[in-house]
Amino acid sequence: MSSTRSGRHRRPSSSSSVPSNSLLKSIKEPPHNFFPSKDEFLRLVAVLAIASSVAVCCNIFFTLINRQPKPFCDSHNSHSPDSISDFCEPCPINGECNQGKLECVRGYRKHGKLCVEDGDINETAKKLLKWIEIHLCEAQAQFLCDGLGAVWVREDDIWKELDGHDLVQNVGLDNGTFMYTKQRAMDAVGRLLETRTDPHGIKELKCPDSLAEHYKPVACRIRQWLSEHALIVFPVSTLLIGCTVLFWKVRQRQYISSRVEELYHQVCEILEDNALLSKRENGECEPWVVASRLRDHLLLPRERKNPVLWKKELEYWRRS
């Protein structure tokens, strides 16, 4: 009985231990589909990366939209130590700042946070400067060549001429900008040209002689060069003319000498032919030939105007 009971008690213990072991195994070992596969993991990483990128871009976009630009620091406080602050931008050079706003001085325009030089005004001032330079330097060049014209010109007269200049009228500047442009041109003229003050206190301008040399006409330059080098030019010119005349005379003598020799042979042939013809016709043909007819027959039209050639030919016949 005891043995039977003990056997019965052991069987339930062995049967209950089987499900407990399977439960422990299921807890210790997760199922095969618990973790994602390699493809699913890569898709998850891609989705997270795209979502993060979109979030960052949206954050930057809304930050830029909602960002307010810093105002400019006032110009009258620019020299104080407290003027430079994290809450305002320093006022740029050639600019005037008031109540956080930037206004560029005349002759400059706003470019971002800077004041840059106005290109139209600068170009117009350069053209006006070039016109004044040409106007004064041509007058100075005429004075250096002929001794005529005004040397010193009043600054007020130049101002009046600039008022009616076609360049200023074509550009269409307003009065304030026009006055500023003229002032810039006149400041550059003062640095380029010579200046002085007359006894009445009026400022006058003159083109330097070194600069006026570039505006002299070609004829004036040649005339001045000849006058400065007359001691060299006159002897050299005389020598060249003398050599040319001598060369021409030698060439003429050589030509006449060779031409006389050629005419001599031609006359001989004509006389021989005429003598043979006279013998054949038993004296009916005159053997003598008139010299003037030979001259007109043998000499070219341009050679007939020069009596020296035929005279030399007759002398050659007498000697022979």
Side-chain angles (χ1 to χ4, degrees):
M1 291 290 291
S2 61
S3 62
T4 304
R5 289 177 182 176
S6 62
R8 289 177 181 177
H9 285 293
R10 287 175 183 173
R11 286 176 185 174
S13 61
S14 61
S15 62
S16 62
S17 63
V18 173
S20 64
N21 291 332
S22 61
L23 180 62
L24 289 175
K25 289 182 180 180
S26 64
I27 294 174
K28 291 181 180 180
E29 296 181 0
H32 295 288
N33 58 355
F34 181 79
F35 292 104
S37 63
K38 183 178 180 181
D39 296 335
E40 292 175 347
F41 180 75
L42 293 176
R43 285 197 294 270
L44 177 62
V45 172
V47 169
L48 292 177
I50 294 173
S52 301
S53 302
V54 171
V56 172
C57 292
C58 292
N59 186 22
I60 295 174
F61 177 74
F62 286 108
T63 301
L64 294 177
I65 291 178
N66 298 326
R67 183 182 179 184
Q68 297 294 331
K70 291 183 181 180
F72 289 93
C73 303
D74 291 347
S75 301
H76 60 274
N77 295 327
S78 59
H79 299 288
S80 63
D82 299 333
S83 61
I84 301 176
S85 174
D86 294 336
F87 301 100
C88 65
E89 295 284 349
C91 191
I93 302 174
N94 301 315
E96 295 179 356
C97 302
N98 188 18
Q99 295 181 355
K101 296 182 179 180
L102 170 64
E103 292 291 338
C104 296
V105 298
R106 192 179 298 278
Y108 293 83
R109 57 184 177 84
K110 188 176 179 181
H111 183 72
K113 298 180 181 180
L114 302 175
C115 288
V116 297
E117 192 173 20
D118 194 333
D120 296 336
I121 295 177
N122 187 32
E123 190 66 24
T124 305
K126 287 181 179 180
K127 292 181 179 179
L128 291 177
L129 171 62
K130 190 63 179 179
W131 179 83
I132 296 172
E133 176 187 340
I134 294 174
H135 182 68
L136 295 182
C137 290
E138 285 182 349
Q140 180 66 13
Q142 183 181 3
F143 177 79
L144 294 176
C145 290
D146 306 325
L148 304 176
V151 178
W152 292 92
V153 181
R154 291 185 175 184
E155 187 180 27
D156 296 339
D157 297 338
I158 299 177
W159 275 92
K160 293 178 182 178
E161 292 184 6
L162 289 179
D163 291 337
H165 197 274
D166 296 337
L167 177 63
V168 178
Q169 295 177 358
N170 294 333
V171 172
L173 301 176
D174 57 85
N175 189 34
T177 307
F178 168 61
M179 294 299 296
Y180 174 78
T181 305
K182 285 201 306 182
Q183 185 61 49
R184 286 197 57 179
M186 293 303 298
D187 293 341
V189 166
R191 295 189 297 268
L192 178 65
L193 307 181
E194 296 180 5
T195 59
R196 74 174 185 182
T197 305
D198 65 358
H200 302 286
I202 300 176
K203 188 177 180 181
E204 295 180 336
L205 302 171
K206 182 178 80 73
C207 179
D209 294 344
S210 59
L211 186 59
E213 290 290 334
H214 300 285
Y215 291 89
K216 287 182 178 180
V218 178
C220 174
R221 295 183 183 182
I222 294 174
R223 186 172 65 251
Q224 288 185 345
W225 186 87
L226 291 175
S227 62
E228 292 175 359
H229 302 83
L231 296 177
I232 299 175
V233 173
F234 182 74
V236 172
S237 301
T238 304
L239 180 61
L240 290 176
I241 294 173
C243 292
T244 303
V245 172
L246 180 62
F247 177 76
W248 182 79
K249 288 184 177 182
V250 171
R251 290 285 298 173
Q252 281 291 106
R253 288 182 180 180
Q254 291 178 352
Y255 172 75
I256 291 175
S257 177
S258 61
R259 184 61 174 154
V260 167
E261 188 72 21
E262 182 182 356
L263 290 173
Y264 175 79
H265 293 292
Q266 291 178 357
V267 170
C268 289
E269 291 179 359
I270 293 174
L271 293 177
E272 289 176 358
D273 293 341
N274 197 28
L276 292 174
L277 185 61
S278 176
K279 289 180 180 181
R280 290 175 183 176
E281 295 183 0
N282 297 323
E284 293 181 2
C285 182
E286 184 67 30
W288 295 88
V289 180
V290 181
S292 59
R293 291 182 180 179
L294 283 175
R295 180 194 62 192
D296 296 339
H297 176 69
L298 296 176
L299 295 182
L300 299 174
R302 60 183 177 83
E303 294 176 339
R304 297 171 190 172
K305 298 178 182 179
N306 186 10
V308 178
L309 178 60
W310 189 248
K311 184 179 179 181
K312 292 288 185 182
E313 178 69 21
L314 295 178
E315 291 177 356
Y316 188 80
W317 271 97
R318 291 190 187 99
R319 289 196 305 268
S320 61

PDB file of all heavy atoms in Angstrom, residues 31-65:
ATOM      1  N   PRO A  31      10.462  34.133 -29.737  1.00  0.00           N
ATOM      2  CA  PRO A  31      10.093  33.534 -31.034  1.00  0.00           C
ATOM      3  C   PRO A  31      10.964  34.097 -32.151  1.00  0.00           C
ATOM      4  O   PRO A  31      11.599  35.141 -32.025  1.00  0.00           O
ATOM      5  CB  PRO A  31       8.615  33.940 -31.193  1.00  0.00           C
ATOM      6  CG  PRO A  31       8.437  35.140 -30.319  1.00  0.00           C
ATOM      7  CD  PRO A  31       9.375  34.939 -29.155  1.00  0.00           C
ATOM      8  N   HIS A  32      10.915  33.379 -33.260  1.00  0.00           N
ATOM      9  CA  HIS A  32      11.765  33.744 -34.388  1.00  0.00           C
ATOM     10  C   HIS A  32      11.350  35.073 -35.020  1.00  0.00           C
ATOM     11  O   HIS A  32      12.183  35.811 -35.539  1.00  0.00           O
ATOM     12  CB  HIS A  32      11.738  32.628 -35.444  1.00  0.00           C
ATOM     13  CG  HIS A  32      12.332  31.353 -34.948  1.00  0.00           C
ATOM     14  ND1 HIS A  32      13.693  31.170 -34.731  1.00  0.00           N
ATOM     15  CD2 HIS A  32      11.734  30.172 -34.586  1.00  0.00           C
ATOM     16  CE1 HIS A  32      13.927  29.949 -34.295  1.00  0.00           C
ATOM     17  NE2 HIS A  32      12.753  29.311 -34.172  1.00  0.00           N
ATOM     18  N   ASN A  33      10.116  35.460 -35.029  1.00  0.00           N
ATOM     19  CA  ASN A  33       9.645  36.715 -35.631  1.00  0.00           C
ATOM     20  C   ASN A  33       9.609  37.867 -34.650  1.00  0.00           C
ATOM     21  O   ASN A  33       8.968  38.878 -34.902  1.00  0.00           O
ATOM     22  CB  ASN A  33       8.256  36.497 -36.228  1.00  0.00           C
ATOM     23  CG  ASN A  33       7.261  36.010 -35.165  1.00  0.00           C
ATOM     24  OD1 ASN A  33       7.638  35.762 -34.012  1.00  0.00           O
ATOM     25  ND2 ASN A  33       6.001  35.842 -35.573  1.00  0.00           N
ATOM     26  N   PHE A  34      10.245  37.689 -33.469  1.00  0.00           N
ATOM     27  CA  PHE A  34      10.243  38.787 -32.493  1.00  0.00           C
ATOM     28  C   PHE A  34      11.120  39.946 -32.966  1.00  0.00           C
ATOM     29  O   PHE A  34      10.738  41.104 -32.855  1.00  0.00           O
ATOM     30  CB  PHE A  34      10.739  38.241 -31.136  1.00  0.00           C
ATOM     31  CG  PHE A  34      10.744  39.297 -30.059  1.00  0.00           C
ATOM     32  CD1 PHE A  34       9.555  39.646 -29.416  1.00  0.00           C
ATOM     33  CD2 PHE A  34      11.935  39.924 -29.696  1.00  0.00           C
ATOM     34  CE1 PHE A  34       9.580  40.606 -28.426  1.00  0.00           C
ATOM     35  CE2 PHE A  34      11.936  40.875 -28.702  1.00  0.00           C
ATOM     36  CZ  PHE A  34      10.768  41.235 -28.056  1.00  0.00           C
ATOM     37  N   PHE A  35      12.320  39.685 -33.495  1.00  0.00           N
ATOM     38  CA  PHE A  35      13.222  40.730 -34.011  1.00  0.00           C
ATOM     39  C   PHE A  35      12.960  40.945 -35.506  1.00  0.00           C
ATOM     40  O   PHE A  35      12.656  40.001 -36.230  1.00  0.00           O
ATOM     41  CB  PHE A  35      14.688  40.325 -33.813  1.00  0.00           C
ATOM     42  CG  PHE A  35      15.107  40.302 -32.374  1.00  0.00           C
ATOM     43  CD1 PHE A  35      15.258  39.080 -31.712  1.00  0.00           C
ATOM     44  CD2 PHE A  35      15.325  41.472 -31.670  1.00  0.00           C
ATOM     45  CE1 PHE A  35      15.627  39.042 -30.383  1.00  0.00           C
ATOM     46  CE2 PHE A  35      15.693  41.425 -30.342  1.00  0.00           C
ATOM     47  CZ  PHE A  35      15.847  40.221 -29.691  1.00  0.00           C
ATOM     48  N   PRO A  36      13.116  42.234 -35.991  1.00  0.00           N
ATOM     49  CA  PRO A  36      12.882  42.494 -37.430  1.00  0.00           C
ATOM     50  C   PRO A  36      14.005  41.909 -38.277  1.00  0.00           C
ATOM     51  O   PRO A  36      15.132  41.723 -37.813  1.00  0.00           O
ATOM     52  CB  PRO A  36      12.882  44.030 -37.531  1.00  0.00           C
ATOM     53  CG  PRO A  36      13.695  44.471 -36.374  1.00  0.00           C
ATOM     54  CD  PRO A  36      13.446  43.469 -35.275  1.00  0.00           C
ATOM     55  N   SER A  37      13.651  41.681 -39.536  1.00  0.00           N
ATOM     56  CA  SER A  37      14.662  41.164 -40.455  1.00  0.00           C
ATOM     57  C   SER A  37      15.614  42.288 -40.892  1.00  0.00           C
ATOM     58  O   SER A  37      15.435  43.461 -40.544  1.00  0.00           O
ATOM     59  CB  SER A  37      13.975  40.529 -41.673  1.00  0.00           C
ATOM     60  OG  SER A  37      13.245  41.525 -42.385  1.00  0.00           O
ATOM     61  N   LYS A  38      16.613  41.907 -41.700  1.00  0.00           N
ATOM     62  CA  LYS A  38      17.619  42.894 -42.154  1.00  0.00           C
ATOM     63  C   LYS A  38      16.990  43.955 -43.064  1.00  0.00           C
ATOM     64  O   LYS A  38      17.254  45.159 -42.920  1.00  0.00           O
ATOM     65  CB  LYS A  38      18.743  42.167 -42.899  1.00  0.00           C
ATOM     66  CG  LYS A  38      19.855  43.076 -43.344  1.00  0.00           C
ATOM     67  CD  LYS A  38      20.947  42.287 -44.030  1.00  0.00           C
ATOM     68  CE  LYS A  38      22.075  43.204 -44.472  1.00  0.00           C
ATOM     69  NZ  LYS A  38      23.158  42.452 -45.169  1.00  0.00           N
ATOM     70  N   ASP A  39      16.100  43.573 -43.968  1.00  0.00           N
ATOM     71  CA  ASP A  39      15.439  44.530 -44.863  1.00  0.00           C
ATOM     72  C   ASP A  39      14.536  45.470 -44.091  1.00  0.00           C
ATOM     73  O   ASP A  39      14.479  46.672 -44.346  1.00  0.00           O
ATOM     74  CB  ASP A  39      14.639  43.783 -45.935  1.00  0.00           C
ATOM     75  CG  ASP A  39      15.550  42.961 -46.850  1.00  0.00           C
ATOM     76  OD1 ASP A  39      16.751  43.344 -46.948  1.00  0.00           O
ATOM     77  OD2 ASP A  39      15.071  41.988 -47.449  1.00  0.00           O
ATOM     78  N   GLU A  40      13.801  44.877 -43.122  1.00  0.00           N
ATOM     79  CA  GLU A  40      12.923  45.716 -42.314  1.00  0.00           C
ATOM     80  C   GLU A  40      13.725  46.707 -41.475  1.00  0.00           C
ATOM     81  O   GLU A  40      13.312  47.865 -41.292  1.00  0.00           O
ATOM     82  CB  GLU A  40      12.056  44.839 -41.406  1.00  0.00           C
ATOM     83  CG  GLU A  40      11.030  44.006 -42.168  1.00  0.00           C
ATOM     84  CD  GLU A  40      10.276  43.075 -41.234  1.00  0.00           C
ATOM     85  OE1 GLU A  40      10.729  42.923 -40.079  1.00  0.00           O
ATOM     86  OE2 GLU A  40       9.244  42.508 -41.655  1.00  0.00           O
ATOM     87  N   PHE A  41      14.866  46.290 -40.992  1.00  0.00           N
ATOM     88  CA  PHE A  41      15.708  47.205 -40.209  1.00  0.00           C
ATOM     89  C   PHE A  41      16.233  48.357 -41.065  1.00  0.00           C
ATOM     90  O   PHE A  41      16.253  49.515 -40.634  1.00  0.00           O
ATOM     91  CB  PHE A  41      16.873  46.410 -39.600  1.00  0.00           C
ATOM     92  CG  PHE A  41      17.794  47.244 -38.769  1.00  0.00           C
ATOM     93  CD1 PHE A  41      17.428  47.668 -37.493  1.00  0.00           C
ATOM     94  CD2 PHE A  41      19.041  47.614 -39.265  1.00  0.00           C
ATOM     95  CE1 PHE A  41      18.285  48.447 -36.742  1.00  0.00           C
ATOM     96  CE2 PHE A  41      19.896  48.393 -38.513  1.00  0.00           C
ATOM     97  CZ  PHE A  41      19.530  48.810 -37.249  1.00  0.00           C
ATOM     98  N   LEU A  42      16.649  48.048 -42.318  1.00  0.00           N
ATOM     99  CA  LEU A  42      17.138  49.113 -43.208  1.00  0.00           C
ATOM    100  C   LEU A  42      16.039  50.093 -43.566  1.00  0.00           C
ATOM    101  O   LEU A  42      16.256  51.315 -43.631  1.00  0.00           O
ATOM    102  CB  LEU A  42      17.732  48.489 -44.475  1.00  0.00           C
ATOM    103  CG  LEU A  42      19.016  47.667 -44.269  1.00  0.00           C
ATOM    104  CD1 LEU A  42      19.439  47.029 -45.599  1.00  0.00           C
ATOM    105  CD2 LEU A  42      20.130  48.531 -43.698  1.00  0.00           C
ATOM    106  N   ARG A  43      14.803  49.594 -43.803  1.00  0.00           N
ATOM    107  CA  ARG A  43      13.684  50.484 -44.094  1.00  0.00           C
ATOM    108  C   ARG A  43      13.379  51.379 -42.900  1.00  0.00           C
ATOM    109  O   ARG A  43      13.067  52.560 -43.047  1.00  0.00           O
ATOM    110  CB  ARG A  43      12.459  49.660 -44.481  1.00  0.00           C
ATOM    111  CG  ARG A  43      12.536  49.084 -45.897  1.00  0.00           C
ATOM    112  CD  ARG A  43      11.150  48.652 -46.369  1.00  0.00           C
ATOM    113  NE  ARG A  43      10.646  47.528 -45.573  1.00  0.00           N
ATOM    114  CZ  ARG A  43      10.846  46.255 -45.883  1.00  0.00           C
ATOM    115  NH1 ARG A  43      11.544  45.931 -46.962  1.00  0.00           N
ATOM    116  NH2 ARG A  43      10.358  45.297 -45.127  1.00  0.00           N
ATOM    117  N   LEU A  44      13.495  50.801 -41.690  1.00  0.00           N
ATOM    118  CA  LEU A  44      13.248  51.594 -40.486  1.00  0.00           C
ATOM    119  C   LEU A  44      14.272  52.716 -40.341  1.00  0.00           C
ATOM    120  O   LEU A  44      13.932  53.865 -40.033  1.00  0.00           O
ATOM    121  CB  LEU A  44      13.268  50.675 -39.259  1.00  0.00           C
ATOM    122  CG  LEU A  44      13.093  51.372 -37.890  1.00  0.00           C
ATOM    123  CD1 LEU A  44      11.727  52.058 -37.810  1.00  0.00           C
ATOM    124  CD2 LEU A  44      13.267  50.359 -36.752  1.00  0.00           C
ATOM    125  N   VAL A  45      15.534  52.390 -40.616  1.00  0.00           N
ATOM    126  CA  VAL A  45      16.585  53.416 -40.533  1.00  0.00           C
ATOM    127  C   VAL A  45      16.366  54.516 -41.571  1.00  0.00           C
ATOM    128  O   VAL A  45      16.526  55.707 -41.298  1.00  0.00           O
ATOM    129  CB  VAL A  45      17.969  52.761 -40.718  1.00  0.00           C
ATOM    130  CG1 VAL A  45      19.056  53.832 -40.840  1.00  0.00           C
ATOM    131  CG2 VAL A  45      18.286  51.848 -39.541  1.00  0.00           C
ATOM    132  N   ALA A  46      15.945  54.150 -42.798  1.00  0.00           N
ATOM    133  CA  ALA A  46      15.701  55.129 -43.851  1.00  0.00           C
ATOM    134  C   ALA A  46      14.549  56.051 -43.480  1.00  0.00           C
ATOM    135  O   ALA A  46      14.606  57.273 -43.667  1.00  0.00           O
ATOM    136  CB  ALA A  46      15.417  54.415 -45.175  1.00  0.00           C
ATOM    137  N   VAL A  47      13.482  55.483 -42.932  1.00  0.00           N
ATOM    138  CA  VAL A  47      12.331  56.296 -42.528  1.00  0.00           C
ATOM    139  C   VAL A  47      12.725  57.281 -41.430  1.00  0.00           C
ATOM    140  O   VAL A  47      12.354  58.460 -41.440  1.00  0.00           O
ATOM    141  CB  VAL A  47      11.172  55.383 -42.092  1.00  0.00           C
ATOM    142  CG1 VAL A  47      10.062  56.203 -41.424  1.00  0.00           C
ATOM    143  CG2 VAL A  47      10.620  54.616 -43.271  1.00  0.00           C
ATOM    144  N   LEU A  48      13.496  56.788 -40.451  1.00  0.00           N
ATOM    145  CA  LEU A  48      13.950  57.683 -39.370  1.00  0.00           C
ATOM    146  C   LEU A  48      14.849  58.795 -39.896  1.00  0.00           C
ATOM    147  O   LEU A  48      14.757  59.949 -39.453  1.00  0.00           O
ATOM    148  CB  LEU A  48      14.680  56.855 -38.303  1.00  0.00           C
ATOM    149  CG  LEU A  48      13.824  55.872 -37.495  1.00  0.00           C
ATOM    150  CD1 LEU A  48      14.706  55.061 -36.532  1.00  0.00           C
ATOM    151  CD2 LEU A  48      12.737  56.611 -36.716  1.00  0.00           C
ATOM    152  N   ALA A  49      15.728  58.471 -40.870  1.00  0.00           N
ATOM    153  CA  ALA A  49      16.618  59.492 -41.426  1.00  0.00           C
ATOM    154  C   ALA A  49      15.833  60.556 -42.180  1.00  0.00           C
ATOM    155  O   ALA A  49      16.089  61.761 -42.046  1.00  0.00           O
ATOM    156  CB  ALA A  49      17.647  58.837 -42.346  1.00  0.00           C
ATOM    157  N   ILE A  50      14.849  60.122 -42.975  1.00  0.00           N
ATOM    158  CA  ILE A  50      14.028  61.090 -43.723  1.00  0.00           C
ATOM    159  C   ILE A  50      13.224  61.959 -42.767  1.00  0.00           C
ATOM    160  O   ILE A  50      13.126  63.188 -42.934  1.00  0.00           O
ATOM    161  CB  ILE A  50      13.104  60.345 -44.703  1.00  0.00           C
ATOM    162  CG1 ILE A  50      13.942  59.659 -45.793  1.00  0.00           C
ATOM    163  CG2 ILE A  50      12.103  61.295 -45.335  1.00  0.00           C
ATOM    164  CD1 ILE A  50      13.128  58.759 -46.710  1.00  0.00           C
ATOM    165  N   ALA A  51      12.665  61.359 -41.745  1.00  0.00           N
ATOM    166  CA  ALA A  51      11.881  62.131 -40.783  1.00  0.00           C
ATOM    167  C   ALA A  51      12.757  63.148 -40.056  1.00  0.00           C
ATOM    168  O   ALA A  51      12.357  64.298 -39.839  1.00  0.00           O
ATOM    169  CB  ALA A  51      11.206  61.188 -39.786  1.00  0.00           C
ATOM    170  N   SER A  52      13.962  62.747 -39.698  1.00  0.00           N
ATOM    171  CA  SER A  52      14.870  63.672 -39.018  1.00  0.00           C
ATOM    172  C   SER A  52      15.266  64.832 -39.930  1.00  0.00           C
ATOM    173  O   SER A  52      15.324  65.997 -39.500  1.00  0.00           O
ATOM    174  CB  SER A  52      16.121  62.918 -38.546  1.00  0.00           C
ATOM    175  OG  SER A  52      15.782  61.870 -37.672  1.00  0.00           O
ATOM    176  N   SER A  53      15.531  64.526 -41.217  1.00  0.00           N
ATOM    177  CA  SER A  53      15.908  65.581 -42.162  1.00  0.00           C
ATOM    178  C   SER A  53      14.790  66.582 -42.361  1.00  0.00           C
ATOM    179  O   SER A  53      15.002  67.796 -42.385  1.00  0.00           O
ATOM    180  CB  SER A  53      16.315  64.968 -43.510  1.00  0.00           C
ATOM    181  OG  SER A  53      17.392  64.072 -43.343  1.00  0.00           O
ATOM    182  N   VAL A  54      13.569  66.069 -42.493  1.00  0.00           N
ATOM    183  CA  VAL A  54      12.421  66.962 -42.658  1.00  0.00           C
ATOM    184  C   VAL A  54      12.231  67.832 -41.435  1.00  0.00           C
ATOM    185  O   VAL A  54      11.951  69.048 -41.532  1.00  0.00           O
ATOM    186  CB  VAL A  54      11.156  66.126 -42.964  1.00  0.00           C
ATOM    187  CG1 VAL A  54       9.908  67.005 -42.932  1.00  0.00           C
ATOM    188  CG2 VAL A  54      11.280  65.435 -44.308  1.00  0.00           C
ATOM    189  N   ALA A  55      12.430  67.256 -40.265  1.00  0.00           N
ATOM    190  CA  ALA A  55      12.266  68.034 -39.028  1.00  0.00           C
ATOM    191  C   ALA A  55      13.313  69.138 -38.939  1.00  0.00           C
ATOM    192  O   ALA A  55      13.020  70.279 -38.572  1.00  0.00           O
ATOM    193  CB  ALA A  55      12.349  67.092 -37.820  1.00  0.00           C
ATOM    194  N   VAL A  56      14.572  68.810 -39.294  1.00  0.00           N
ATOM    195  CA  VAL A  56      15.640  69.820 -39.236  1.00  0.00           C
ATOM    196  C   VAL A  56      15.387  70.932 -40.239  1.00  0.00           C
ATOM    197  O   VAL A  56      15.543  72.127 -39.940  1.00  0.00           O
ATOM    198  CB  VAL A  56      17.006  69.140 -39.478  1.00  0.00           C
ATOM    199  CG1 VAL A  56      18.098  70.201 -39.630  1.00  0.00           C
ATOM    200  CG2 VAL A  56      17.348  68.215 -38.324  1.00  0.00           C
ATOM    201  N   CYS A  57      14.999  70.581 -41.480  1.00  0.00           N
ATOM    202  CA  CYS A  57      14.733  71.601 -42.510  1.00  0.00           C
ATOM    203  C   CYS A  57      13.582  72.503 -42.104  1.00  0.00           C
ATOM    204  O   CYS A  57      13.639  73.730 -42.297  1.00  0.00           O
ATOM    205  CB  CYS A  57      14.430  70.921 -43.842  1.00  0.00           C
ATOM    206  SG  CYS A  57      15.844  70.064 -44.577  1.00  0.00           S
ATOM    207  N   CYS A  58      12.536  71.932 -41.567  1.00  0.00           N
ATOM    208  CA  CYS A  58      11.406  72.744 -41.121  1.00  0.00           C
ATOM    209  C   CYS A  58      11.813  73.686 -40.000  1.00  0.00           C
ATOM    210  O   CYS A  58      11.390  74.858 -39.952  1.00  0.00           O
ATOM    211  CB  CYS A  58      10.255  71.834 -40.667  1.00  0.00           C
ATOM    212  SG  CYS A  58       9.487  70.893 -42.011  1.00  0.00           S
ATOM    213  N   ASN A  59      12.639  73.183 -39.113  1.00  0.00           N
ATOM    214  CA  ASN A  59      13.106  74.034 -38.012  1.00  0.00           C
ATOM    215  C   ASN A  59      13.921  75.217 -38.526  1.00  0.00           C
ATOM    216  O   ASN A  59      13.735  76.359 -38.105  1.00  0.00           O
ATOM    217  CB  ASN A  59      13.926  73.182 -37.050  1.00  0.00           C
ATOM    218  CG  ASN A  59      14.318  73.968 -35.797  1.00  0.00           C
ATOM    219  OD1 ASN A  59      13.687  74.961 -35.457  1.00  0.00           O
ATOM    220  ND2 ASN A  59      15.365  73.508 -35.114  1.00  0.00           N
ATOM    221  N   ILE A  60      14.852  74.934 -39.468  1.00  0.00           N
ATOM    222  CA  ILE A  60      15.669  76.017 -40.038  1.00  0.00           C
ATOM    223  C   ILE A  60      14.802  77.007 -40.810  1.00  0.00           C
ATOM    224  O   ILE A  60      14.979  78.231 -40.717  1.00  0.00           O
ATOM    225  CB  ILE A  60      16.760  75.423 -40.944  1.00  0.00           C
ATOM    226  CG1 ILE A  60      17.738  74.588 -40.111  1.00  0.00           C
ATOM    227  CG2 ILE A  60      17.507  76.526 -41.676  1.00  0.00           C
ATOM    228  CD1 ILE A  60      18.768  73.843 -40.948  1.00  0.00           C
ATOM    229  N   PHE A  61      13.820  76.501 -41.578  1.00  0.00           N
ATOM    230  CA  PHE A  61      12.957  77.360 -42.390  1.00  0.00           C
ATOM    231  C   PHE A  61      12.155  78.310 -41.510  1.00  0.00           C
ATOM    232  O   PHE A  61      12.118  79.530 -41.748  1.00  0.00           O
ATOM    233  CB  PHE A  61      12.027  76.475 -43.236  1.00  0.00           C
ATOM    234  CG  PHE A  61      11.056  77.250 -44.062  1.00  0.00           C
ATOM    235  CD1 PHE A  61      11.486  77.934 -45.194  1.00  0.00           C
ATOM    236  CD2 PHE A  61       9.713  77.302 -43.711  1.00  0.00           C
ATOM    237  CE1 PHE A  61      10.581  78.646 -45.956  1.00  0.00           C
ATOM    238  CE2 PHE A  61       8.817  78.020 -44.462  1.00  0.00           C
ATOM    239  CZ  PHE A  61       9.247  78.695 -45.597  1.00  0.00           C
ATOM    240  N   PHE A  62      11.522  77.778 -40.484  1.00  0.00           N
ATOM    241  CA  PHE A  62      10.718  78.639 -39.606  1.00  0.00           C
ATOM    242  C   PHE A  62      11.594  79.581 -38.791  1.00  0.00           C
ATOM    243  O   PHE A  62      11.173  80.690 -38.452  1.00  0.00           O
ATOM    244  CB  PHE A  62       9.845  77.770 -38.683  1.00  0.00           C
ATOM    245  CG  PHE A  62       8.681  77.128 -39.382  1.00  0.00           C
ATOM    246  CD1 PHE A  62       8.669  75.768 -39.632  1.00  0.00           C
ATOM    247  CD2 PHE A  62       7.614  77.904 -39.822  1.00  0.00           C
ATOM    248  CE1 PHE A  62       7.612  75.185 -40.298  1.00  0.00           C
ATOM    249  CE2 PHE A  62       6.540  77.312 -40.488  1.00  0.00           C
ATOM    250  CZ  PHE A  62       6.528  75.949 -40.728  1.00  0.00           C
ATOM    251  N   THR A  63      12.832  79.151 -38.505  1.00  0.00           N
ATOM    252  CA  THR A  63      13.744  80.045 -37.782  1.00  0.00           C
ATOM    253  C   THR A  63      14.122  81.254 -38.639  1.00  0.00           C
ATOM    254  O   THR A  63      14.164  82.393 -38.168  1.00  0.00           O
ATOM    255  CB  THR A  63      15.006  79.279 -37.364  1.00  0.00           C
ATOM    256  OG1 THR A  63      14.630  78.174 -36.540  1.00  0.00           O
ATOM    257  CG2 THR A  63      15.956  80.184 -36.590  1.00  0.00           C
ATOM    258  N   LEU A  64      14.399  80.981 -39.947  1.00  0.00           N
ATOM    259  CA  LEU A  64      14.747  82.084 -40.845  1.00  0.00           C
ATOM    260  C   LEU A  64      13.573  83.011 -41.091  1.00  0.00           C
ATOM    261  O   LEU A  64      13.744  84.234 -41.229  1.00  0.00           O
ATOM    262  CB  LEU A  64      15.265  81.517 -42.176  1.00  0.00           C
ATOM    263  CG  LEU A  64      16.595  80.760 -42.115  1.00  0.00           C
ATOM    264  CD1 LEU A  64      16.939  80.183 -43.490  1.00  0.00           C
ATOM    265  CD2 LEU A  64      17.726  81.687 -41.642  1.00  0.00           C
ATOM    266  N   ILE A  65      12.354  82.438 -41.184  1.00  0.00           N
ATOM    267  CA  ILE A  65      11.187  83.284 -41.424  1.00  0.00           C
ATOM    268  C   ILE A  65      10.888  84.172 -40.228  1.00  0.00           C
ATOM    269  O   ILE A  65      10.614  85.372 -40.359  1.00  0.00           O
ATOM    270  CB  ILE A  65       9.971  82.404 -41.774  1.00  0.00           C
ATOM    271  CG1 ILE A  65      10.163  81.762 -43.147  1.00  0.00           C
ATOM    272  CG2 ILE A  65       8.678  83.221 -41.747  1.00  0.00           C
ATOM    273  CD1 ILE A  65       9.037  80.853 -43.549  1.00  0.00           C
TER     274      ILE A  65
END
